[in-house]
Amino acid sequence: MLPDATLPVPAALVTVLASFAPLFTAPSFRTFTMLACGFLAQTGKRTVCGMLAGAGLARVWPHDRAHWFFACARWNPGDLGLAVAKLVVALLVPAGEPVTVAVDDTLFRRRGRKVWAASWFHDGSAAGPAKTGYGNNWVIAAIVVRLPMISRPVAVPVLAKLVIKDTRSASRLWLARQMTAALAGVLPGRDIHVTGDAAYAGGELKKLPSRVTWTTRLRKDAALHGLPPARAGRRGRPRSKGDKLPSLAELAATATFTAVTVTRYGTTATIRAATVTCMWYSVFSTRPVAVVLIRDRSACGYDLALVTTDTVTSAARVIERYASRWSIEVAIEDAKQVFGTGQARNRTA
């Protein structure tokens, strides 16, 4: 039983919450533990007051105590997220294996002139042809893990950054790279494989740490180049990239496709894939990349093109890694529909 708790708390949960104690002052940690327990126990809306009610403290603590925790208490959500990431990797990722991170963004609809950083954003889940919505847009980083009781990969969100227009934080890719660098900093000795959709490709990726690889969908108009030629012993600066390669359609027409067996989206199937090692200079600078052309349903050409800085992993594994990105979309949807993420409101003065 935790202090002030009016309901029994499992010992395993107490142990997990205790690992976060160094991130808070003693009073704030007590509030944090009770709100966390209330969040899990609450079957209705998980607003700030809802978490108090879930913990059985609605008539014991003043509501200001919970609101003050989110508005004024001395703790950093980023530090808490990194602590969660270390815990997830220690418990759910086998020792020595790389860590797979999925990145995506989602819109929490908000209204009102006093809603901080609210604006119009693309919202793929919006009803109707106009895929836009007004509110807060969050870029989320999740660690993808495998659980013995579930056949599909599971994404555990650990970090989130708010998109703020007219600032540097307006770039979703910049925010994703910042979170990736932070994860690499707290997970020494671990390779990190990041995967995201086509929106997460741009010049920011020239600054990736060496231990981080990036896998994303390749745009049809991507300007690809061959690897730089060997030095010919002449004076002057050597070439940083090779000749420009033809379009993806032309590459697919001349590439050698081989059969590979992949497990993705809950099924195992045999498809055909071809790999081309080259450079995407405008995005990854001089770092070589592997372009994986996937022929799934078509008899010729290609159905999907992926690009990754991981040039040593097989095409089948790269395809499965990209497919695991789907788990973060499931996690975001479950967070909204099942756990009520985004229901809480900040009080205005």
Side-chain angles (χ1 to χ4, degrees):
M1 186 77 71
L2 291 171
D4 299 327
T6 60
L7 71 164
V9 180
L13 178 58
V14 173
T15 302
V16 170
L17 293 176
S19 64
F20 304 129
L23 303 176
F24 302 91
T25 62
S28 294
F29 178 66
R30 177 180 290 184
T31 305
F32 164 75
T33 55
M34 296 318 304
L35 290 177
C37 292
F39 178 89
L40 296 174
Q42 177 60 262
T43 58
K45 289 189 175 182
R46 292 174 171 87
T47 59
V48 175
C49 294
M51 288 186 280
L52 271 183
L57 296 174
R59 297 176 179 271
V60 180
W61 285 2
H63 293 174
D64 283 349
R65 180 169 180 175
H67 288 287
W68 178 88
F69 173 79
F70 290 107
C72 304
R74 290 189 300 165
W75 63 284
N76 188 303
D79 293 340
L80 180 60
L82 293 176
V84 172
K86 291 192 290 184
L87 187 63
V88 169
V89 171
L91 296 178
L92 301 178
V93 181
E97 287 195 6
V99 178
T100 300
V101 176
V103 295
D104 201 1
D105 57 275
T106 188
L107 180 69
F108 291 98
R109 291 179 175 269
R110 294 288 184 267
R111 289 290 182 184
R113 292 179 299 174
K114 294 186 178 181
V115 180
W116 169 248
S119 187
W120 287 98
F121 294 96
H122 171 77
D123 183 11
S125 62
K131 298 296 183 180
T132 57
Y134 187 86
N136 293 132
N137 194 29
W138 290 87
V139 179
I140 300 170
I143 296 177
V144 180
V145 300
R146 295 278 182 174
L147 302 178
M149 73 290 292
I150 301 177
S151 59
R152 64 173 177 83
V154 175
V156 182
V158 293
L159 291 174
K161 296 291 185 181
L162 181 62
V163 177
I164 307 174
K165 288 191 174 181
D166 299 323
T167 70
R168 195 170 187 181
S169 294
S171 169
R172 293 173 295 170
L173 180 58
W174 182 81
L175 293 172
R177 186 184 65 80
Q178 292 292 315
M179 290 189 289
T180 300
L183 288 172
V186 299
L187 298 173
R190 294 269 194 166
D191 291 333
I192 297 177
H193 298 319
V194 182
T195 180
D197 61 22
Y200 292 91
E204 281 290 336
L205 300 182
K206 296 178 181 180
K207 308 168 188 177
L208 282 179
S210 59
R211 290 190 294 109
V212 176
T213 70
W214 203 276
T215 302
T216 184
R217 186 170 180 169
L218 184 62
R219 299 193 295 265
K220 290 184 178 181
D221 60 351
L224 302 177
H225 291 79
L227 299 179
R231 298 197 63 170
R234 299 174 181 174
R235 296 178 62 183
R237 189 176 67 177
R239 292 181 62 180
S240 57
K241 57 185 177 182
D243 297 332
K244 187 175 181 179
L245 297 182
S247 66
L248 290 180
E250 294 176 277
L251 285 177
T254 59
T256 301
F257 285 79
T258 58
V260 296
T261 300
V262 296
T263 300
R264 52 179 181 166
Y265 312 121
T267 61
T268 300
T270 299
I271 60 175
R272 302 183 69 81
T275 302
V276 178
T277 301
C278 57
M279 297 177 65
W280 193 5
Y281 191 83
S282 61
V283 174
F284 295 106
S285 187
T286 58
R287 190 169 182 174
V289 298
V291 172
V292 180
L293 301 174
I294 303 170
R295 186 179 290 172
D296 195 353
R297 297 174 299 274
S298 302
C300 60
Y302 72 97
D303 297 299
L304 179 67
L306 304 179
V307 60
T308 179
T309 59
D310 184 1
T311 58
V312 298
T313 299
S314 66
R317 185 68 189 93
V318 169
I319 296 170
E320 291 177 343
R321 182 184 302 159
Y322 179 77
S324 70
R325 189 196 66 82
W326 172 67
S327 61
I328 192 173
E329 297 184 10
V330 175
I332 292 172
E333 184 67 16
D334 286 348
K336 291 181 176 180
Q337 301 299 326
V338 179
F339 296 104
T341 302
Q343 292 175 345
R345 299 289 193 274
N346 289 331
R347 297 195 315 172
T348 57

